[in-house]
Amino acid sequence: MRFIAGVWRLAIAALCFVGTYEAWTIPNRWVYFTFQTGFMLGIVMLWSGAASLLKGIQPPAWLKGCLTVYAIITALVAFLLMPPDDPHYVPQVLGIMTNTMLHRIAPVMAVVDFLLFDPHRRFKPSYVLSWMGYFPIYLAFVVIRAQLWPHSGPSVGGNPYPYTFIDLGQLGWSQFIVNIVGLAIGFLLVALAVFLIDRILPEKSLLRSQ
């Protein structure tokens, strides 16, 4: 089972790296939340997969939980808010669109990894709020970047805002703040759900992988 877990985690890492590869030639792709967190998920899964195969030290529970929260948020946004990928625009690898790899397949696999292969009851209550820390940093990055380079993309026409629901230029401050509060509540609910699921599941992983 340790071998299966290791291969599963390395497969997630591969999907994340392939899904973000275009950002290395189109740097403004890194503005997307999913590119940033997807790449980090790839690094953590590469570490975790190698540790499973080599009986090494696994990533800290806080870090693994944090990327699991972001993977769930990515999947929820992809399945509920994003339009279907356009095969005429999105690159494909082995017949699978890279956006599908990054936004749907890898996050779902990461959640399965958390449920089946990770040991549980390791998260502290303080983790829930600390996992939220990246959210305001990301928003500040997006807004400051937009003010400094207002035509830098990645959206159509050079719009610097990666998502319409945080497009300060189109929304104005009032609606922007309303949207941010809603997003923060969503982040918090997902983080709390991951924490509670970790507490409910047995301490030892459902499928022994360490």
Side-chain angles (χ1 to χ4, degrees):
M1 195 56 65
R2 180 171 56 84
F3 175 79
I4 294 175
V7 172
W8 181 267
R9 288 161 171 169
L10 293 179
I12 297 172
L15 289 167
C16 290
F17 295 145
V18 172
T20 57
Y21 86 93
E22 65 176 321
W24 297 108
T25 54
I26 311 175
N28 64 19
R29 294 291 188 271
W30 289 116
V31 179
Y32 287 105
F33 174 88
T34 48
F35 271 72
Q36 295 182 18
T37 59
F39 185 73
M40 284 302 303
L41 177 63
I43 292 175
V44 170
M45 285 300 177
L46 179 63
W47 175 358
S48 185
S52 295
L53 295 176
L54 302 175
K55 295 184 178 180
I57 299 174
Q58 288 287 333
W62 177 89
L63 181 60
K64 193 80 183 313
C66 182
L67 270 301
T68 299
V69 169
Y70 298 157
I72 293 172
I73 291 169
T74 295
L76 289 174
V77 171
F79 284 111
L80 299 177
L81 299 178
M82 288 180 59
D85 294 326
D86 184 350
H88 299 292
Y89 171 75
V90 179
Q92 298 185 43
V93 177
L94 299 177
I96 304 175
M97 287 178 282
T98 54
N99 272 358
T100 301
M101 294 180 181
L102 185 64
H103 295 83
R104 293 174 171 84
I105 301 176
V108 170
M109 290 179 66
V111 173
V112 172
D113 176 77
F114 163 69
L115 294 173
L116 298 184
F117 296 128
D118 278 352
H120 298 288
R121 302 183 184 177
R122 302 182 299 163
F123 297 158
K124 300 176 182 178
S126 60
Y127 288 3
V128 174
L129 290 180
S130 66
W131 289 335
M132 297 279 293
Y134 173 68
F135 179 62
I137 294 173
Y138 174 75
L139 288 175
F141 161 71
V142 169
V143 172
I144 293 172
R145 176 183 177 276
Q147 302 308 308
L148 295 176
W149 298 287
H151 306 292
S152 55
S155 297
V156 177
N159 187 340
Y161 290 96
Y163 305 105
T164 57
F165 47 82
I166 57 170
D167 187 339
L168 179 59
Q170 295 295 324
L171 297 172
W173 278 106
S174 297
Q175 188 60 48
F176 177 79
I177 292 173
V178 169
N179 289 2
I180 294 311
V181 171
L183 289 170
I185 292 172
F187 264 74
L188 183 60
L189 290 176
V190 172
L192 183 59
V194 170
F195 172 78
L196 293 175
I197 290 170
D198 178 74
R199 284 299 178 95
I200 292 170
L201 290 172
E203 184 174 353
K204 294 183 179 179
S205 57
L206 298 179
L207 299 178
R208 298 297 294 277
S209 61
Q210 306 302 322

